[in-house]
Amino acid sequence: MVPKVSEEIDNIRNAVEAVGLKKRFGKFTAVTDVTFSVPSGCVFGLLGPNGAGKTTTLRMLSTVYKPTEGTARIMGRDIVKDPDGVRHSIGVVGESPGLYDRLTARETVRFYGRLYGMDDRAIARRTEKIFGDLGMEEYADRRTEKLSKGMKQKVIIARAMIHDPPVLILDEPTSGLDVVGSRTVMDFIKDVGRRDKTVLLSTHVTSIAQELCDGVAIINKGRIMAGGTMKGLLKKHGNLEDFMFGIIGRRDK
């Protein structure tokens, strides 16, 4: 059965719809028949262990990888037929920072704003808002080579948000951060979700998914195993971690 975030929010237009996504690398199949939908305005998690297929799935959705089979739509735009339209509808925070060491945080965000066709006045207004939300004012004009990993992660999030996309895709957004950095990023994700934005994130940490997500799909060995609203899953199973590992354990035997 195709997992959805349930009837509680099915009547809202889906911001993300993945249908039968499959990705092969040579003879290795990383993802098979991944199908799920995310209603607009939700924070939705792909939850699973390392190597489960989370990153590959997000890279297909963000048009970095072309699916071997299947497709997906982001805000109604097809990732295969209209990749440029998809890229303008999303902000992406991946595992690799991809920062230019000699640019400051502010210059980095300005550069990406210009790539999206924004004028400098709009970029400045938007940058001030995002930097304030993320607590980045103190190092806004410091070169990224001088920043800590947590600071760099915030720069990556800021550049992903500069064009105010309706959908934000985050791959393990708190990975490697200390407690303070993780809390800042998690609070920001909550705030984004409250602004009618759609957030799709991957994580292997059940506590993060339980705190942030309205719904989840559990993925393992490239396949979606289960899914539903967080409220429904917790009501039925009580503990998300036990539920996830119960599913993965049964399938791995």
Side-chain angles (χ1 to χ4, degrees), residues 222-236:
R223 294 180 181 273
I224 300 291
M225 301 297 192
T229 60
M230 188 61 64
K231 180 179 178 181
L233 290 174
L234 292 178
K235 182 177 180 180
K236 184 174 182 179

Side-chain angles (χ1 to χ4, degrees), residues 140-157:
D141 297 303
R142 196 182 306 173
R143 287 182 177 178
T144 59
E145 65 182 345
K146 303 294 186 181
L147 302 181
S148 68
K149 183 170 183 178
M151 292 174 179
K152 288 180 179 179
Q153 184 75 339
K154 292 181 184 180
V155 175
I156 296 166
I157 292 173

Side-chain angles (χ1 to χ4, degrees), residues 30-45:
V31 167
T32 300
D33 194 28
V34 165
T35 299
F36 64 90
S37 60
V38 184
S40 295
C42 290
V43 179
F44 186 88

Side-chain angles (χ1 to χ4, degrees), residues 90-112:
I90 61 176
V92 181
V93 176
E95 291 182 309
S96 176
L99 296 172
Y100 297 97
D101 287 345
R102 296 184 64 82
L103 292 182
T104 66
R106 192 186 307 278
E107 289 168 342
T108 298
V109 174
R110 182 189 302 134
F111 175 74
Y112 275 82

